[in-house]
């Protein structure tokens, strides 16, 4: 059987003007991941990333450690199917309908870095509306369309894979959530309850034989836990 390692990107720049940049912690998380895989002797035969900078930077930082151990090269294939859904677009499209019941929501979302707990609560409500399919808006990618995008990426990956390859996919939490839904059949709402637990640079492993795929492990972040540095365990 082959293995697909789904790797969430390192911590990005939450609350900054440009979220799509790894923070110093995010860079360190990616380096630690690469070091850990190298210590385990995990050979990566192919590496794929979404097109987002935080995904590609995570890949380059981790793969450097593996290359130094002669366990991978730094060749990185880009497939935008593994991009994250556009969370900002979801917020912009669905927030107006939420304001009557959450009048402080706009202030909270504009000052997200100072209101992390409240931001998460509101964001989860908006995502629940998006996933339900009952609040579609013109021009906004639906949850169903996003799942189809991710499914296309997985199908391409399997079509190109050898039977015993180890493939690393550097991606994002929402994409991993969509794959959980596709592979296990878990309901979208339940999948997003798991989404909120996905740690930056965590590993989820899929096993495949041909086009048959199963979930082998989810959200492993032992590479961070072993360092006994709680500040490296982040969720956003």
């Amino acid at each position: 059987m082959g293995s697909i390692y789904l790797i969430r990107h390192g911590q990005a720049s939450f609350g900054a003007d440009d979220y799509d940049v790894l923070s110093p912690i995010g860079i360190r998380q990616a380096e630690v991941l690469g070091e850990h895989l190298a210590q385990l002797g995990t050979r990566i035969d192919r590496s794929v990333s979404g097109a987002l900078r935080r995904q590609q930077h995570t890949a380059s930082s981790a793969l450097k450690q593996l290359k130094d151990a002669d366990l991978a090269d730094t060749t990185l294939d880009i497939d935008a199917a593994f991009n994250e859904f556009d969370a900002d677009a979801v917020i912009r499209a669905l927030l107006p309908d939420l304001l009557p019941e959450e009048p402080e929501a706009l202030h909270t979302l504009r000052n997200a870095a100072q209101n992390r707990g409240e931001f998460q609560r509101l964001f989860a409500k908006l995502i629940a509306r998006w996933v339900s399919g009952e609040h579609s808006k013109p021009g906004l990618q639906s949850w169903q369309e996003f799942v189809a995008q991710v499914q296309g990426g997985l199908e391409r990956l399997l079509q190109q894979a050898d039977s015993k390859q180890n493939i690393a996919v550097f991606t994002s939490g929402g994409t991993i959530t969509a794959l959980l839904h596709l592979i296990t059949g878990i309901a979208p709402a339940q999948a997003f309850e798991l989404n909120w637990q996905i740690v930056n640079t965590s590993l989820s492993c899929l096993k495949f034989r041909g086009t048959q795929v199963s979930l082998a492990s989810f959200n492993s972040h032992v590479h961070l836990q072993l360092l006994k540095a709680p500040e490296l365990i982040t969720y956003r």
Side-chain angles (χ1 to χ4, degrees):
M1 297 183 74
S3 299
I4 299 172
Y5 296 100
L6 303 175
I7 299 165
R8 189 188 176 196
H9 62 78
Q11 185 189 60
S13 298
F14 181 69
D17 291 338
D18 188 356
Y19 175 73
D20 196 21
V21 176
L22 289 188
S23 71
I25 285 178
I27 295 169
R28 181 62 185 141
Q29 290 167 329
E31 293 171 344
V32 170
L33 171 64
E35 292 166 0
H36 179 70
L37 291 175
Q39 289 170 357
L40 292 176
T42 303
R43 180 170 296 281
I44 299 299
D45 301 302
R46 184 186 177 202
S47 300
V48 181
S49 172
L52 302 177
R53 283 179 293 162
R54 61 188 182 272
Q55 298 169 339
Q56 294 183 58
H57 194 177
T58 301
S60 63
S61 297
L63 290 174
K64 182 181 183 302
Q65 312 305 316
L66 286 161
K67 182 178 186 297
D68 290 346
D70 199 28
L71 291 168
D73 62 33
T74 54
T75 302
L76 185 64
D77 298 327
I78 305 300
D79 188 338
F82 296 108
N83 283 8
E84 180 65 284
F85 66 87
D86 190 340
D88 287 343
V90 171
I91 292 171
R92 287 194 302 269
L94 302 187
L95 180 60
D97 293 343
L98 187 66
L99 287 176
E101 64 183 81
E102 296 281 359
E104 298 299 316
L106 186 58
H107 172 77
T108 298
L109 295 172
R110 282 177 171 170
N111 298 277
Q114 291 76 45
N115 301 277
R116 288 174 177 262
E118 187 64 3
F119 170 87
Q120 178 59 34
R121 184 185 70 81
L122 292 169
F123 185 56
K125 290 186 76 168
L126 290 165
I127 292 300
R129 290 183 173 216
W130 179 59
V131 167
S132 74
E134 298 173 3
H135 301 268
S136 61
K137 299 291 181 181
L140 177 66
Q141 183 186 43
S142 70
W143 162 250
Q144 292 79 9
E145 289 168 339
F146 177 65
V147 169
Q149 167 195 305
V150 175
Q151 184 173 19
L154 177 62
E155 289 173 353
R156 279 190 295 278
L157 206 63
L158 296 173
Q159 288 167 1
Q160 298 163 4
D162 294 335
S163 60
K164 294 184 179 180
Q165 272 191 321
N166 288 334
I167 303 169
V169 178
F170 295 87
T171 184
S172 294
T175 317
I176 296 170
T177 302
L179 287 164
L180 288 175
H181 166 64
L182 284 166
I183 292 163
T184 70
I186 189 172
Q190 292 174 303
F192 265 99
E193 287 302 314
L194 294 174
N195 173 287
W196 311 132
Q197 309 305 317
I198 301 176
V199 172
N200 291 115
T201 69
S202 66
L203 287 138
S204 297
C205 182
L206 309 178
K207 293 291 186 179
F208 69 91
R209 179 181 286 114
T211 59
Q212 301 299 309
V213 185
S214 59
L215 178 66
S217 66
F218 172 69
N219 196 34
S220 173
H221 51 282
V222 67
H223 56 287
L224 302 175
Q225 293 172 311
L226 286 170
L227 295 184
K228 298 182 181 178
E231 67 276 9
L232 290 180
I233 299 177
T234 62
Y235 300 87
R236 186 176 299 283

